[in-house]
Every structure is written in structure tokens, then in C-alpha cells.
Amino acid sequence: MEAKAKVENLETITSLCKRRGFIFLSSEIYGGLGSCYDYGPLGVEVKRNVKEAWWRSTVQARANVVGLDASIIMHPKVWEASGHIAGFNDPLIECEHCALRVRADKLDEAPMKCPKNKEGHKFGEPRMFNLMFKTNLGPIEDAANTVYLRPETAQGIFVNFNNVTDSTRVKLPFGIAQQGKSFRNEITTRRFTFRTSEFEQMEMEFFCRPEEVKEWYDYWRKERLQWFVDLGVAPERLRLRDHDEDELAHYSTACADIEYLFPFGWSELEGIACRGCYDLSKHAEHSGKKMEWLDQSTNERFIPHVVEPALGTDRAILVFLTDAYTEEKIDGNPRTVMKFHPKIAPTKVAVFPLLRKDGHPEKAMELFNSLKEHYMATYDESGNIGRRYRRQDEAGTPVCLTIDHQTFEDGTITLRDRDTLEQRRIELSQVREELFKVLGF
Ligand code: GAP
């Protein structure tokens, strides 16, 4: 059966994000800054959870991967060596009349002719446009102190290759992982957070012997795809697409995209590339420093090859939001529920007093206080209990706990499961054990 997008229209996600405080347009009170977004109270939790899940599975859970946090502004020679100054370009075409600009290589995403479609409105010849944001280091604005906001986190890893190998006990094969902001002056930034000018990346450069590249490439393709599945993304909306020869960068021997079936069709979520020894060789050439691995058992020196899984954090968040979005009918009543994996859910548990009297709020607050040290929790006493459940469903909270009359009689509370809607009584004294059963942590 052909896979279907979870949500037909991206607008469904953008409006939920605004309404519930996941994601807002940047500087909205000034009309918004297209292509930049802010994460609201729920969104920032999702973002932290996604980054934490990636870090755990990529760095913490492995003996042969270490982390790094390099600066965003780097020596301009980095970008000369990496080829970004000369070649990090997109073809830009512009309407000769109204100056509308689109990417010439993305005509499926952009109009073929100027949408004004009036006399005089026509696109000119494509010209190349460098995507790096330029700025100046220091008060004087001249070519000598021009620096760039990094367009990928990867180069921060390559230039630290010697520092990491000299200061740690890593042995080939090993990885260096990094999360952080990247910036690209994208010509067209539509589709919400899918393509923005400022975004975060989570990248890992996995260094190995040249003859082992194929094996590690196959390994990371599987690992990275499985990561999304383990965090609840439907496998039928994920696929690996191998790049055709003409899509490969000149230094790349193989590259695949993990694609997701977004509301606007199958599109790139993460890239997994064999970068050969291109980057280390180029930095060695431009810096005059050797960037090699010494195999101490054979005294052999060589430049390791690299497999790079490169994921956009914001794109991953858009996938988790889209895939979690569910509309269903309960006893004929519609409900919108975000069925996040518990690790991704912004709030893990909500605590309610049934009444705003008779000691219920105090008891509920006591429970909330005891849980919030361990979980991202929330307390809610406003509106009737049904409305409180709906609010937590839209936020994707897996568990709601309610203090009621019976709590004072037999020390039990109600646990309500977001997905099954089952409500059962549990011992207040067993609440951590019960939460562990539902959440898995
Ligand atoms: N170091 C390799 C590299 O940066 P890339 O395919 O250009 O490769 C990797 O980027 C990932 O970063 C993409 O798969 C996507 O998830 C994310 N990404 C790239 N450009 C982006 C943008 N303008 N906005 C949001 N995410 C972006």
C-alpha cells in the first residue's frame, strides 16, 4: 500500500504550533522575519529532548564516539580550504520587473514564471549566489577581517581532528559528534522550519580506514534510520534514497538521504555521506599541518576516510511534530492528540486536583513537587477535568494524574494514559514505579 503523509496540510501543524506554544515566527510583533523561528515553552522542551536523544544514542551509548562544541565563527581560511567560499552556491533567478527571487534548481518548489504573470515580469538568467552569511570581526569593516557564520557544523570537527586525537585515547575507527547552530542565506525559505536561514545541526564525522568505509557507511545508514523508528516515527513514512552519480559532491563516493513523507511530499531529513579524505586533506594542504592517523602497530601513516551522518535538528523536530499529530473521535467527539514518544514529549506528566477545595490542590501540589525533580511535569487546576485532559492531549503529555476524594480515603490516585485513554487507580506511594512502566524511564 502506498504510504500517506500523516497530515495533509502543513498549515495544520503551523497553527497547532502557534496555538499550543511549540513554535512561533521570529519577531512576530514586527510582522515576523520570514525564515527564522522561535521555540515556545513546549517547543523548547521538544528540542532539548530531541538533542538529548541524539546525543545519548550517538555519543553516550558508544565507546568510540566523543563530543565537541566548536565556535560558530571560525578562521576564514577554514571556508577557503573546505571549498565553501568558492563553491557553496545556489543558482538564483530573479524577476526582471519585480525582483522576486527563486532558486533555479528548485523549480518544483518555486514558480516556473514570475507569479505576477504580467507584461514585463520574466525571470532573467540564473546567477550563482553564495549562501554564507558574512560579517566582520572587530570594528573595521574590510576584507581583511571578513568572517562567516558557519554553514555546517562539520568543519569545526575536521579542524579539531588533531586536538581530539592528541588529547583523548580514541582509536580508529572513531567518531566526533557535534550539535549547534548553522546559518545559510537560503534563497527560498518556505515550508515552516523545513528550510530556514538559522538552524541547528547534529553531525558526526566517523573516521575509519579507507578500506572500511563501505562497511561503516552501511552501518550508519541503518543506525540512523532506526533512531527515528525507535523514537516513534512510522517506518512507512521513512525511506533511504541513494543519490544518483550526478548528485554526489566531487569528493563523495556515496551518499544517501533519509527522507520523510512530509505534507509536501518525500523530502530530505538527514544526509549520510562518504566524504573520503577530502576535508582532512584540504585542511592539511591549507594549514600546512599534518592531519593523519599513525597506526602504532605498523607505523603506517594515512589520512582517515569519513562517513558523515548529518541531521538538521529543526527538520527532525518538524518530523516528530508531524508524525505525532493525530485527529480521532472518542465517543463521537473529536480530539487532537500529539502521540509523541515519551522521550520526545515536552511534558511527561500532568498533575490535577479534581476540585479547587477540600485539600485537593495542596495534595496535588505536593505530588507535583515530588515529581518535578525527576520529570518535566505540569500542574493544572483550571477548567473541568475533561478540558484539562484535552489540553494535555494537544501538548502530547503521556500521563495525567488526578487527586480526588478517594485519595484521602485509600491513598490512591487516577492515572490516565494519553493513548489508550485507560483510567486506573494506582497507589500514590507507587507513583514512580507506575510512571516507569508507562514512560520507560
Ligand atoms: N555537513 C554536511 C551538511 O551540512 P547538508 O545536507 O547540507 O549536509 C545536513 O545538511 C542536514 O542539515 C540536512 O539533511 C537538513 O536536515 C539540515 N539542513 C540543511 N540546510 C538546512 C536549512 N536551511 N534549514 C533547516 N535545516 C537544514
mmCIF file of all heavy atoms in Angstrom, residues 59 62 88 294 335 403 426 429 434:
data_model
loop_
_atom_site.group_PDB
_atom_site.id
_atom_site.type_symbol
_atom_site.label_atom_id
_atom_site.label_comp_id
_atom_site.label_asym_id
_atom_site.label_seq_id
_atom_site.Cartn_x
_atom_site.Cartn_y
_atom_site.Cartn_z
ATOM 1 N N VAL A 59 26.674 9.575 21.198
ATOM 2 C CA VAL A 59 27.907 9.745 21.979
ATOM 3 C C VAL A 59 27.880 8.872 23.238
ATOM 4 O O VAL A 59 28.714 7.980 23.411
ATOM 5 C CB VAL A 59 28.116 11.233 22.382
ATOM 6 C CG1 VAL A 59 29.429 11.397 23.155
ATOM 7 C CG2 VAL A 59 28.100 12.132 21.158
ATOM 8 N N ARG A 62 28.075 4.994 23.187
ATOM 9 C CA ARG A 62 29.141 4.350 22.396
ATOM 10 C C ARG A 62 30.506 4.616 23.014
ATOM 11 O O ARG A 62 30.773 5.713 23.508
ATOM 12 C CB ARG A 62 29.152 4.910 20.971
ATOM 13 C CG ARG A 62 27.896 4.588 20.233
ATOM 14 C CD ARG A 62 27.836 5.296 18.897
ATOM 15 N NE ARG A 62 26.456 5.252 18.431
ATOM 16 C CZ ARG A 62 25.953 4.268 17.716
ATOM 17 N NH1 ARG A 62 26.710 3.260 17.347
ATOM 18 N NH2 ARG A 62 24.693 4.294 17.350
ATOM 19 N N PHE A 88 30.030 27.130 -2.349
ATOM 20 C CA PHE A 88 28.769 26.884 -1.625
ATOM 21 C C PHE A 88 27.696 27.833 -2.163
ATOM 22 O O PHE A 88 27.249 28.772 -1.520
ATOM 23 C CB PHE A 88 28.977 27.085 -0.124
ATOM 24 C CG PHE A 88 27.873 26.477 0.705
ATOM 25 C CD1 PHE A 88 27.476 25.170 0.520
ATOM 26 C CD2 PHE A 88 27.227 27.226 1.677
ATOM 27 C CE1 PHE A 88 26.454 24.607 1.268
ATOM 28 C CE2 PHE A 88 26.203 26.683 2.445
ATOM 29 C CZ PHE A 88 25.826 25.371 2.229
ATOM 30 N N LEU A 294 48.338 7.735 12.842
ATOM 31 C CA LEU A 294 49.504 6.856 12.890
ATOM 32 C C LEU A 294 49.063 5.527 13.485
ATOM 33 O O LEU A 294 48.617 5.471 14.633
ATOM 34 C CB LEU A 294 50.609 7.493 13.746
ATOM 35 C CG LEU A 294 51.774 6.568 14.129
ATOM 36 C CD1 LEU A 294 52.586 6.146 12.907
ATOM 37 C CD2 LEU A 294 52.693 7.259 15.151
ATOM 38 N N ARG A 335 -10.984 14.555 18.978
ATOM 39 C CA ARG A 335 -9.881 15.015 19.835
ATOM 40 C C ARG A 335 -8.613 15.098 18.992
ATOM 41 O O ARG A 335 -8.386 14.281 18.087
ATOM 42 C CB ARG A 335 -9.686 14.129 21.067
ATOM 43 C CG ARG A 335 -8.775 12.963 20.920
ATOM 44 C CD ARG A 335 -8.226 12.454 22.282
ATOM 45 N NE ARG A 335 -7.466 11.219 22.062
ATOM 46 C CZ ARG A 335 -6.560 10.736 22.877
ATOM 47 N NH1 ARG A 335 -6.278 11.356 24.016
ATOM 48 N NH2 ARG A 335 -5.902 9.613 22.598
ATOM 49 N N ILE A 403 -5.772 13.817 41.725
ATOM 50 C CA ILE A 403 -6.076 13.655 43.153
ATOM 51 C C ILE A 403 -7.581 13.889 43.322
ATOM 52 O O ILE A 403 -8.099 14.903 42.824
ATOM 53 C CB ILE A 403 -5.333 14.743 43.986
ATOM 54 C CG1 ILE A 403 -3.816 14.642 43.789
ATOM 55 C CG2 ILE A 403 -5.765 14.747 45.448
ATOM 56 C CD1 ILE A 403 -3.126 13.552 44.528
ATOM 57 N N ILE A 426 -4.086 3.926 41.026
ATOM 58 C CA ILE A 426 -2.783 3.413 41.475
ATOM 59 C C ILE A 426 -2.517 3.957 42.880
ATOM 60 O O ILE A 426 -3.095 4.966 43.286
ATOM 61 C CB ILE A 426 -1.629 3.845 40.532
ATOM 62 C CG1 ILE A 426 -1.505 5.381 40.481
ATOM 63 C CG2 ILE A 426 -1.811 3.274 39.135
ATOM 64 C CD1 ILE A 426 -0.185 5.870 39.963
ATOM 65 N N SER A 429 1.751 5.982 46.732
ATOM 66 C CA SER A 429 3.122 5.640 47.143
ATOM 67 C C SER A 429 3.889 4.902 46.031
ATOM 68 O O SER A 429 5.102 4.785 46.083
ATOM 69 C CB SER A 429 3.079 4.755 48.388
ATOM 70 O OG SER A 429 2.340 3.587 48.087
ATOM 71 N N GLU A 434 4.910 3.242 38.745
ATOM 72 C CA GLU A 434 3.875 3.225 37.704
ATOM 73 C C GLU A 434 4.286 4.088 36.514
ATOM 74 O O GLU A 434 4.060 3.721 35.358
ATOM 75 C CB GLU A 434 2.526 3.715 38.275
ATOM 76 C CG GLU A 434 1.926 2.788 39.318
ATOM 77 C CD GLU A 434 1.451 1.444 38.742
ATOM 78 O OE1 GLU A 434 1.279 1.341 37.522
ATOM 79 O OE2 GLU A 434 1.272 0.497 39.549
#
